[in-house]
Amino acid sequence: MPPTQTAAVIRRIEPVGAYHRLTLDAPAAATADVRPGHFGALAIGGPSSATLLRRAFSIHRADPTAGTVEFIFAEHGAGTRALARHHPGDTVDLIAPLGTPFPLDGGPQRAVLVGGGYGSAPMATLAEAILARGGQVAFVLGAATADRLFGVAEARALSPHVHVVTDDGSAGERGRVTGPLPAAMAAIDATDVHSCGPMPMLKAVTALAAAAGARSHTAVEEAMACGTGLCMSCVLPVTGPDGVTRFLRSCTSGPVFDGTTVRWDDAGTLPADLEGAAAMTPYAPKETDPA
């Protein structure tokens, strides 16, 4: 279904570790068509606010029965700090669901789900969808510190294969998500690796997945000013099936991309061999990818 714009009422806003969980009453957006990897774009300020641009957040959960949509966010700048100071009963303008979600077609997956910080927000519902289709899942969840982990309890309720890592060793193993990832893939003979988090993490995860012969599906964290494909602020250099690199909009062609097609080292630059921008084509796994 197409996204809807609605005046969503805040039902709850509560701390969860270093983050905030935002629950909105938004029946028009909370439909059965919301899939893991979709996101919503929130207008933080009112009509007279100097905070003009929307803020994009992955949808953590959407409940069609309750008519609610949940987001997990961190306070990074003026916009997210302002959002954190909202209260139940306040209204925010929401456009959702947006973007291209994680691919689930093509038969049961044996998938490792990798989340960095609050990039883990869509991973529990993604795991539930994979398990409902007869697949298997493992998790690798990482963050800088213990309070910046998210979704560990949900992951452990869904899989016996859960690896937790922190940069400082305050929870789980000390290190990065790339440390336990090969073991996690081997444990379930992974066909797919789904990841969401910082761009350097996605680059490293893609390299390991490709080396193991697994497909890499990455939800990129690019700044999005509109969320609808109009402003071109979130473009990434992506190589197409014809071998040509074009700019693709992260908000419409993504945020989920085949990680092997993203030119990670050229993100934020204008590559010399770039051939313009492509149409807003949603990501689909290549036919040559493993089943």
Side-chain angles (χ1 to χ4, degrees), residues 161-192:
H161 307 289
V162 179
H163 301 263
V164 176
V165 297
T166 49
D167 292 355
D168 64 356
S170 55
E173 305 172 29
R174 180 189 296 270
R176 304 291 178 87
V177 295
T178 47
L181 180 55
M185 288 190 285
I188 60 171
D189 189 20
T191 57
D192 297 81

Side-chain angles (χ1 to χ4, degrees), residues 14 47 92-93 192 289:
E14 55 199 347
V92 292
D93 191 274
D192 297 81
D289 286 340

Side-chain angles (χ1 to χ4, degrees), residues 42-206:
L42 287 170
I44 304 301
S48 61
S49 172
T51 307
L52 299 177
L53 304 179
R54 290 179 179 269
R55 300 301 190 269
F57 306 106
S58 292
I59 294 175
H60 172 50
R61 287 192 178 276
D63 186 336
T65 302
T68 57
V69 181
E70 292 185 16
F71 301 95
I72 306 298
F73 72 94
E75 293 185 49
H76 281 312
T80 46
R81 285 195 299 269
L83 180 60
R85 285 152 182 76
H86 280 57
H87 301 282
D90 290 348
T91 300
V92 292
D93 191 274
L94 169 70
I95 301 177
L98 292 166
T100 299
F102 288 101
L104 292 170
D105 301 328
Q109 299 179 10
R110 298 184 301 277
V112 179
L113 313 185
V114 185
Y118 64 93
S120 303
M123 293 305 173
T125 52
L126 177 57
E128 290 164 1
I130 292 169
L131 293 171
R133 289 165 171 78
Q136 294 177 265
V137 295
F139 290 85
V140 180
L141 304 178
T145 56
D147 65 333
R148 294 187 175 275
L149 289 165
F150 180 76
V152 175
E154 286 182 300
R156 286 176 173 157
L158 293 166
S159 172
H161 307 289
V162 179
H163 301 263
V164 176
V165 297
T166 49
D167 292 355
D168 64 356
S170 55
E173 305 172 29
R174 180 189 296 270
R176 304 291 178 87
V177 295
T178 47
L181 180 55
M185 288 190 285
I188 60 171
D189 189 20
T191 57
D192 297 81
V193 176
H194 301 281
S195 57
C196 183
M199 300 289 266
M201 185 199 91
L202 301 181
K203 174 187 174 183
V205 167
T206 292

